[in-house]
Amino acid sequence: LIAPSKEAVFPEHYPYPKAQVTAVEQVLALAPAHFPLVYPVQQLRQTQLRSFRLNDTHWSAFGGKIASVLVAEQLGCDRDATEALFQQDQYQGRQSIGDLGNKMYPPIFTEEFFLTSFFHHKFIRYDNCLPNFGRALVIENPNAVTDKHCLMFASSSGYTMLDYLVRIFRQITFIHTSGSIDEELCGLLQPDLLLSQTNARYVLRSPVFHYRLNL
């Protein structure tokens, strides 16, 4: 899963022209047709609620839901059933500062819509509490619709997806690596499913398969 940059989803609001060939487009061209790659530009353009936060580079909670549904489909889940799972979700607006808003002086706050009807935090079984790279979370939800364990090596965009993925898969093990994979950990945990997630701005450098997480 590659989380698109906001300017790729809404180029009409970005004042600079796109390069003739971007790094993400090079990656997409390299991927074989059968490769389970999710790059949801069009899906994030056509959403009921705003898919990106106004003063932030990351997608909104609703954008994270769209990505979760598409990823679950690639991992073998029925798309209609997954959509129905989130149909009753409730969102509420509140003033928020993002990673762009906090770079301004004075800081800029805007109204953003957050999921209020479900919180994955009560299902967290382990958290090493690191603030960024190397963060490790183990989340278990006995009421999930499948009994599968999904191991995800993800970036900051992956956190927004946890409220949705943990309702699909019984266990989520989340490692903040921007898509780089710890092969040793894969062998230790033996997950049913493996997800590598990064942000478009990180594809200038390829993820690695020898990342080492010291738990």
Side-chain angles (χ1 to χ4, degrees):
L1 168 63
I2 301 176
S5 60
K6 183 159 47 173
E7 61 269 23
V9 179
F10 302 108
E12 64 272 21
H13 298 298
Y14 194 64
Y16 302 102
K18 184 183 79 66
Q20 186 173 0
V21 179
T22 65
V24 171
E25 288 170 335
Q26 293 178 8
V27 172
L28 297 176
L30 287 170
H34 64 275
F35 190 79
L37 174 63
V38 177
Y39 181 60
V41 170
Q42 293 305 316
Q43 294 90 338
L44 290 169
R45 278 187 64 86
Q46 304 164 354
T47 57
Q48 178 185 356
L49 294 177
R50 192 170 62 241
S51 61
F52 275 84
R53 297 173 63 183
L54 288 175
N55 62 355
D56 200 287
T57 58
H58 297 87
W59 51 35
S60 64
F62 199 76
K65 187 207 84 163
I66 299 299
S68 299
V69 169
L70 295 171
V71 163
E73 183 179 23
Q74 284 285 359
L75 295 176
C77 298
D78 180 78
R79 184 169 179 175
D80 291 337
T82 305
E83 289 275 13
L85 185 64
F86 308 134
Q87 194 169 11
Q88 301 302 317
D89 282 353
Q90 298 176 10
Y91 298 83
Q92 186 174 3
R94 68 172 183 260
Q95 292 295 308
S96 174
I97 185 171
D99 62 3
L100 296 178
N102 67 8
K103 291 179 172 63
M104 306 300 292
Y105 184 81
I108 295 177
F109 288 78
T110 57
E111 185 181 47
E112 307 293 350
F113 287 86
F114 295 89
L115 180 67
T116 57
S117 54
F118 184 89
F119 302 97
H120 73 271
H121 301 83
K122 66 180 180 180
F123 298 105
I124 293 177
R125 299 293 178 260
Y126 173 82
D127 184 355
N128 66 2
C129 297
L130 291 180
N132 202 293
F133 277 74
R135 177 85 178 272
L137 291 166
V138 177
I139 311 170
E140 294 181 352
N141 179 12
N143 299 316
V145 296
T146 74
D147 197 39
K148 295 185 180 297
H149 172 201
C150 180
L151 171 59
M152 57 187 299
F153 294 96
S155 71
S156 50
S157 294
Y159 289 102
T160 316
M161 302 170 65
L162 294 176
D163 283 326
Y164 306 98
L165 293 179
V166 75
R167 286 183 275 173
I168 303 172
F169 308 115
R170 176 187 55 81
Q171 180 175 330
I172 300 290
T173 301
F174 177 99
I175 313 294
H176 191 149
T177 66
S178 288
S180 290
I181 292 173
D182 185 332
E183 289 183 288
E184 184 178 346
L185 188 63
C186 291
L188 177 66
L189 297 179
Q190 294 290 305
D192 302 295
L193 305 163
L194 179 64
L195 169 62
S196 173
Q197 185 274 315
T198 190
N199 293 345
R201 62 180 178 269
Y202 296 145
V203 301
L204 292 172
R205 182 177 180 180
S206 301
V208 299
F209 292 90
H210 49 77
Y211 189 92
R212 287 294 176 264
L213 179 75
N214 296 317
L215 294 174

